[in-house]
Amino acid sequence: MSAGEKDRILTSSPTKTPPFLRNITIIARLSTMATLAVMWAAAVYVVQDKERQTQYVGFYLIAASVVVTFFELTWVINKSACCRQEGCCCFCWQIVMWVDNWKKGIFYLLLSVPVFLEGMRIILGMVSGFLLIMCGLLYILKTFKDGIVYTVTETQYIPTTTPVIKVITHEISTQTEDKHYYQEISGH
């Protein structure tokens, strides 16, 4: 081992996070916004279609769209809210903010189930359900964004020396004659 190798020990693992995981938050938010657009459009279309007896799916899509819209806007509201950490409202808001990542993903997966109960008769409902499943899976995957960390750890040992401090003492001895001193003062 050379001197340079002795002074430096390098431990490494892969240095780059995959781009998909690095941008998973943006991908999940954008895909959920697109899903919301489809859900709102499907809800309005199904509710307005008087010929079918499946209007309850449209009303369910409206309710689900309201809930998903609320949960998607919580990060904007949280960034702009001025709230002390005391009080009932702040406690309730902390519970709302607790529903994120895998919890929000499971919630979205559960919201998609009733849309599939009608079968293939409502195509826009099915598309909304599949998109909601995709968003739920993205939020579950977002949970692992911070858990999968690729880092490089570097430890450097720098040789140092302890400084030597020398204490220098001088002994100064002076001899004064009091008699001579008093004589000079008296002489004036």
Side-chain angles (χ1 to χ4, degrees), residues 5-60:
E5 290 173 357
K6 246 186 209 179
D7 296 338
R8 184 176 182 173
I9 297 175
L10 181 66
T11 317
S12 69
S13 52
T15 58
K16 291 188 178 182
T17 304
F20 183 75
L21 278 180
R22 197 173 339 137
N23 300 315
I24 189 70
T25 302
I26 296 168
I27 293 168
R29 292 205 197 286
L30 290 176
S31 66
T32 307
M33 292 300 152
T35 300
L36 276 172
V38 171
M39 285 176 68
W40 280 108
V44 169
Y45 177 75
V46 172
V47 167
Q48 287 180 347
D49 190 11
K50 302 287 184 191
E51 296 175 12
R52 294 189 182 172
Q53 299 298 322
T54 57
Q55 287 182 338
Y56 70 90
V57 175
F59 291 118
Y60 174 78

Side-chain angles (χ1 to χ4, degrees), residues 10 19 27 65 81 115 129 139 142 156 159:
L10 181 66
I27 293 168
S65 298
V115 176
Y139 272 105
K142 183 180 169 239
Q156 288 185 345

